[in-house]
Amino acid sequence: MDQMNLPNGLPFMKMHGAGNDFVVIDSRGRAGAMVTPALAKALGDRNRGVGFDQLAEIRDGAAGADFTLDFWNSDGSRAGACGNATRCVSDYVMRGLGLDAVSLITARGRLSAVRTADGRVSVNMGAPQLDWQAVPVAQDVDLMHLPLLGDPVAVGMGNPHCVLFVDDAEAVDVAGLGPRYEHDPLFPQRTNVEFASLIGPDHLRMRVWERGTGITLACGSGACATAVAAHLRGLTGRRVTLDLDGGVLEIDWREDGVWMTGPVAHVFDGWLSPAFLAAHT
């Protein structure tokens, strides 16, 4: 990052979807990406930076898409997917372009997002990855019944997920169990961990531990993975409502991909100071 080109600092937005919060940096029109691992980690510090569950950087579109989107975790590592951030950024871009639908490029490939009649945003997160090498896991195992305590399910949504179905998600020690599954050798790229319980027909309660971040109030890709796993286990149909710590997400596994619908919020705009940027590049 060339600090000489940022004499006034770097603008950012703070957004959230169902309590899953993000810093968003709009780098469209710039020669290259602005975010580095060091900057992402510094920004992710809720005491010395801004704080976020994930950081999303908007870049110019490619192959006819309206924009490109990259994701970072609060520990400075890259995230392959972030459904709630995708919805929030899509809302921002749609408002700026005067559109009700946009296409975007992520590490998952080309995705699409639309605004619903009630003002929420839906995003197609693509088809779930149900092959052991695509998730990935370290060896060829039954993804529907992993050889781990709790009989979890593995699903890839552009990032790996380990879904455990429990009697009562409220009673689970997420902080204690989450890191154990995240760092299990079965997951060579670590994994997100979801704990879900059935509370009614096609209705789940879900709590989440995100790799590289920890406990979050919501996780869009995790909600998608959990809905897919629940259907494959015979617990639900293909349309599922999930109650997360921060709000409600609706998942619909259609022929063209897994669609996620939920609320979006643009909280505030700010500027990263030149001094902060200089100290973390």
Side-chain angles (χ1 to χ4, degrees):
M1 185 188 305
D2 185 354
Q3 301 302 323
M4 297 302 292
N5 294 329
L6 297 169
N8 298 315
L10 181 66
F12 72 93
M13 295 176 286
K14 190 69 184 289
M15 309 184 80
H16 79 84
N20 196 187
D21 70 322
F22 319 103
V23 164
V24 179
I25 294 176
D26 190 346
S27 296
R28 288 176 295 176
R30 296 193 175 101
M34 305 301 293
V35 180
T36 63
L39 179 59
K41 185 175 182 179
L43 274 173
D45 188 321
R46 294 187 183 273
N47 299 111
R48 298 177 177 85
V50 178
F52 57 75
D53 292 334
Q54 274 80 37
L55 184 155
E57 182 174 19
I58 312 171
R59 297 189 292 107
D60 291 323
D66 294 298
F67 62 100
T68 298
L69 199 53
D70 297 328
F71 305 108
W72 299 80
N73 295 313
S74 59
D75 66 354
S77 62
R78 294 296 294 265
C82 185
N84 283 317
T86 301
R87 292 190 308 99
C88 286
V89 173
S90 294
D91 178 70
Y92 163 73
V93 173
M94 284 190 283
R95 292 181 186 279
L97 297 177
L99 301 173
D100 288 321
V102 289
S103 62
L104 62 145
I105 301 294
T106 74
R108 276 283 274 159
R110 191 184 185 98
L111 305 178
S112 58
V114 299
R115 190 185 312 285
T116 64
D118 60 7
R120 296 180 300 166
V121 174
S122 296
V123 60
N124 183 351
M125 293 293 290
Q129 296 160 310
L130 301 173
D131 174 82
W132 70 276
Q133 292 174 310
V135 172
V137 293
Q139 59 193 43
D140 188 358
V141 295
D142 182 357
L143 298 184
M144 293 300 101
H145 298 279
L146 295 178
L148 298 175
L149 184 66
D151 189 31
V153 178
V155 177
M157 288 299 309
N159 50 5
H161 293 270
C162 178
V163 182
L164 293 100
F165 293 103
V166 299
D167 292 334
D168 183 5
E170 301 287 353
V172 173
D173 179 12
V174 178
L177 293 175
R180 299 182 192 179
Y181 288 97
E182 177 189 357
H183 295 281
D184 190 280
L186 187 60
F187 297 99
Q189 297 179 9
R190 298 182 294 164
T191 187
N192 297 275
V193 189
E194 287 79 33
F195 302 91
S197 52
L198 189 67
I199 60 175
D202 298 328
H203 194 176
L204 297 169
R205 172 71 170 104
M206 187 193 101
R207 299 174 66 200
V208 61
W209 174 274
E210 292 197 58
R211 65 172 180 172
T213 297
I215 294 175
T216 59
L217 297 182
C219 175
S221 62
C224 293
T226 299
V228 168
H231 176 68
L232 293 175
R233 279 280 184 92
L235 300 174
T236 68
R238 296 174 73 99
R239 297 185 65 178
V240 183
T241 298
L242 293 101
D243 295 347
L244 293 87
D245 288 346
V248 177
L249 295 174
E250 296 176 3
I251 308 300
D252 187 2
W253 185 10
R254 307 176 193 170
E255 291 300 318
D256 64 343
V258 183
W259 285 81
M260 175 181 56
T261 303
V264 298
H266 183 163
V267 184
F268 65 85
D269 298 319
W271 286 80
L272 303 174
S273 72
F276 181 87
L277 295 170
H280 300 292
T281 56

